[in-house]
Amino acid sequence: MELNPELLLQEARENVEAAQSYRQELGQRLQGLREAQRQIKESASQTRDVLKQHFNDLKGTLGKLLDERLVTLLQEVDTIEQETIKPLDDCQKLIEHGVSTAEDLVQEGEIAILGGIGEQNEKLWSFTKKASHIQLDSLPEVPLLVDVPCLSAQLDDSVLNIVKDHIFKHGTVASRPPVQIEELTEKPGGILVRWCKVDDDFTAQDYRLQFRKCSSNHFEDVYVGSETEFIVLHIDPNVDYQFRVCARGDGRQEWSPWSVPQTGHSTLVPHEWTAGFEGYSLSSRRNIALRNDSESSGVLYSSAPTYFCGQTLTFRVETVGQPDRRDSIGVCAEKQNGYDSLQRDQAVCISTNGAVFVNGKEMTNQLPAVTTGSTVTFDIEAVTLGATNNNEGGNFKLRVTISSNNREVVFDWLLDQYCVSLYFGCSFFYPGWKVLVF
């Protein structure tokens, strides 16, 4: 049976497309395989270099410690020798002086005796008088050998076995770190890093997170603690950064091997407060606002409407001042000068006492009071767009979730008009309040 040429052509095209797709898939897998091979080879090479450098440093340090100990022991020998030999040297001088005196006396006495009695009586008399003045029966004490030091070196050969045992157990080579980075999520001016354990037998006590620009050779610490996520701030937009994490086992001092570095970046513009407002002092990156001693009051707004629905806006209270029920931290549809607080129309906020305000009206539900270290988050999602069938006058509804101190309130917020993005702001009536936004 002869096949239809058009069907053959169609089948051939489909086979070509399938082959192209198959080749593309195989190419991607081949690239992944090469990356895996490169990771093994590069990590093996780095591990060799680290081991060689570490043990060379260890040998140098041990040699230095042994030399210092030898010098200390030799100094102890010198000290004991000098302190114990001096009394013996003094005694030797005394005995040698006595020997010399006795020899002189013997010679003089022998001469006097040879002269006999008679004309030599005067010499005998002089010798006898001289001998009576010398205590010939007084002998100095000479210590017994058991009473003087006999130095020796006490060297415990077991230290070699102890050192050998520690050396043989020193260092390990791990093929996989016990913790890996799980997710990188871009934030305005930052990146949220999440990590997790991949070794079920490893009990982590602390984690250590480092990051660097991909153009840099040096990682720097950015977090040490027990949490498994952290927002790294001060990230430049559209710049690639590398992140790595390690862990410290329960009850141990040393850190585990580093995780495989992960690369991420943020395309989101960082949140900034408006500069030049008299009542607030800003950090260099303008993401931290401090209420100063100025008598000027009012709402400090963001420099631009950089908060978009669907994102999470976070305020962290670094320091606190005297609270006031008119204080506010929140978001609004637009800047409105002349207000002392965000407790107004077209805004939602939380006061420092925990009261929640929607379009200027206080809600029944309340959150805990804001304290040092408190984190206040706003999660806003669009619910309806268009006219509403109620008497509240709004035509755009947002679902707002405000969280603080492990509690949250959820409510609908009606706006007069559709807003693609929102401003954020804060107001404090007394100095000392410092707020970080991200």
Side-chain angles (χ1 to χ4, degrees), residues 298-325:
V299 178
L300 174 66
Y301 291 102
S302 57
S303 60
T306 53
Y307 175 61
F308 293 84
C309 293
Q311 297 179 355
T312 297
L313 179 67
T314 303
F315 301 92
R316 188 169 68 214
V317 179
E318 305 288 323
T319 61
V320 299
Q322 180 180 336
D324 189 283
R325 68 172 307 276

Side-chain angles (χ1 to χ4, degrees), residues 208-212 219-222 242-244 258:
R208 179 183 178 188
L209 176 65
Q210 290 188 335
F211 83 116
R212 69 177 180 184
F219 279 95
E220 58 182 277
D221 287 332
V222 69
Q242 276 193 332
F243 302 87
R244 66 181 186 181
W258 290 105

Side-chain angles (χ1 to χ4, degrees), residues 210-230:
Q210 290 188 335
F211 83 116
R212 69 177 180 184
K213 287 184 177 180
C214 288
S215 58
S216 173
N217 294 323
H218 175 67
F219 279 95
E220 58 182 277
D221 287 332
V222 69
Y223 172 76
V224 175
S226 59
E227 300 296 328
T228 56
E229 66 176 40
F230 184 78

Side-chain angles (χ1 to χ4, degrees), residues 14 18 153 341:
E14 292 176 356
S341 174

Side-chain angles (χ1 to χ4, degrees), residues 173-237:
V173 176
S175 60
R176 290 180 179 83
V179 60
Q180 292 285 6
I181 291 177
E182 185 178 27
E183 183 182 13
L184 299 176
T185 305
E186 64 175 349
K187 296 288 183 179
I191 294 179
L192 173 62
V193 185
R194 289 190 176 96
W195 55 88
C196 62
K197 287 196 312 172
V198 293
D199 184 353
D200 293 335
D201 296 330
F202 184 84
T203 302
Q205 174 179 313
D206 290 307
Y207 297 98
R208 179 183 178 188
L209 176 65
Q210 290 188 335
F211 83 116
R212 69 177 180 184
K213 287 184 177 180
C214 288
S215 58
S216 173
N217 294 323
H218 175 67
F219 279 95
E220 58 182 277
D221 287 332
V222 69
Y223 172 76
V224 175
S226 59
E227 300 296 328
T228 56
E229 66 176 40
F230 184 78
I231 295 182
V232 181
L233 299 176
H234 310 320
I235 294 294
D236 296 327

Side-chain angles (χ1 to χ4, degrees), residues 280-294:
Y280 295 85
S281 303
L282 305 184
S283 63
S284 59
R285 289 183 175 263
R286 299 180 181 176
N287 59 342
I288 300 177
L290 171 65
R291 182 66 167 94
N292 55 36
D293 295 331
S294 172

